[in-house]
Amino acid sequence: MAFKYYFYYMDTSLFENTTRIIYNKDNVKQTQITSLLPNRMLYEANHSVWLHSYTMEDKENLRLIISDNGLDDFLNKLVNNEIETNKVIDLEGVLFISLHILSPEHKPLKTRPLVFIVAPEFVWTIQNTQKNYFEWIEQRLLNKSTSIMRRDVDYLLGLMIETI
């Protein structure tokens, strides 16, 4: 059985489809990203950051976020490449993970890409669908679940991958 790689084309504005959650063991705050501010949005002093984007189509702003945060320029190629297989690539302290989720509502079966860019300070999830796979994790964070808040982002990533 062959699976076809499939992009769900949606609104291409990154800033209409991105949220940022910063948290530490004491605080949590969610904001809608409407521009390239704050600078270095993947980093926040004494906090972990989860940036969640619902579009891969705004290539220029994806490139600007990668550049503004001092990430390896090769990430642009990886994010913009229609990779048809699951991949894990270590880029000197930043992990690129591309997973493909089966979309059983489409016949023949198709996959949806889901990208994780991870460093010790942040998790950036990028997907091309409005389906919120991680709503329960987001709600637990916003409700100040100490089991997530007191742990590093690798725990958050583990919850996300387990969910998929």
Side-chain angles (χ1 to χ4, degrees):
M1 171 185 289
F3 297 110
K4 182 176 179 184
Y5 183 75
Y6 185 76
F7 270 108
Y8 285 78
Y9 293 99
M10 349 173 332
D11 186 333
T12 59
S13 173
L14 181 76
F15 300 123
E16 291 179 19
N17 297 296
T18 297
T19 57
R20 180 180 188 243
I21 298 176
I22 61 169
Y23 66 95
N24 61 20
K25 64 182 180 71
D26 300 314
N27 301 305
V28 64
K29 180 181 176 186
Q30 180 180 38
T31 55
Q32 178 72 34
I33 298 300
T34 58
S35 69
L36 286 174
L37 297 174
N39 291 334
R40 294 184 54 84
M41 70 178 67
L42 293 173
Y43 299 93
E44 184 77 26
N46 304 312
H47 287 79
S48 296
V49 176
W50 174 17
L51 190 68
H52 189 66
S53 302
Y54 288 94
T55 184
M56 291 180 189
E57 301 307 309
D58 190 348
K59 295 178 185 336
E60 179 59 18
N61 282 317
L62 287 168
R63 184 189 67 73
L64 289 170
I65 291 172
I66 289 168
S67 174
D68 184 55
N69 287 276
L71 302 177
D72 191 319
D73 191 49
F74 187 58
L75 285 169
N76 287 308
K77 184 174 182 104
L78 293 171
V79 169
N80 293 318
N81 187 8
E82 293 184 11
I83 300 169
E84 295 189 26
T85 61
N86 295 334
K87 294 233 184 267
V88 177
I89 300 172
D90 184 359
L91 298 169
E92 297 181 30
V94 175
L95 202 58
F96 171 86
I97 303 169
S98 175
L99 299 178
H100 293 270
I101 303 164
L102 283 176
S103 178
E105 66 269 11
H106 293 91
K107 305 292 182 214
L109 290 176
K110 298 175 183 174
T111 63
R112 297 178 182 178
L114 180 55
V115 169
F116 300 87
I117 299 173
V118 185
E121 304 85 358
F122 67 82
V123 173
W124 182 11
T125 52
I126 310 168
Q127 61 185 69
N128 246 12
T129 177
Q130 285 293 341
K131 182 172 176 62
N132 188 349
Y133 297 106
F134 312 120
E135 184 175 13
W136 73 273
I137 298 170
E138 182 178 320
Q139 289 307 309
R140 282 186 57 196
L141 259 174
L142 295 176
N143 290 327
K144 298 188 174 185
S145 168
T146 57
S147 66
I148 300 173
M149 292 173 64
R150 67 180 176 204
R151 291 191 171 99
D152 294 329
V153 296
D154 58 344
Y155 181 77
L156 177 64
L157 175 65
L159 287 175
M160 292 174 175
I161 291 174
E162 184 178 298
T163 296
I164 294 172

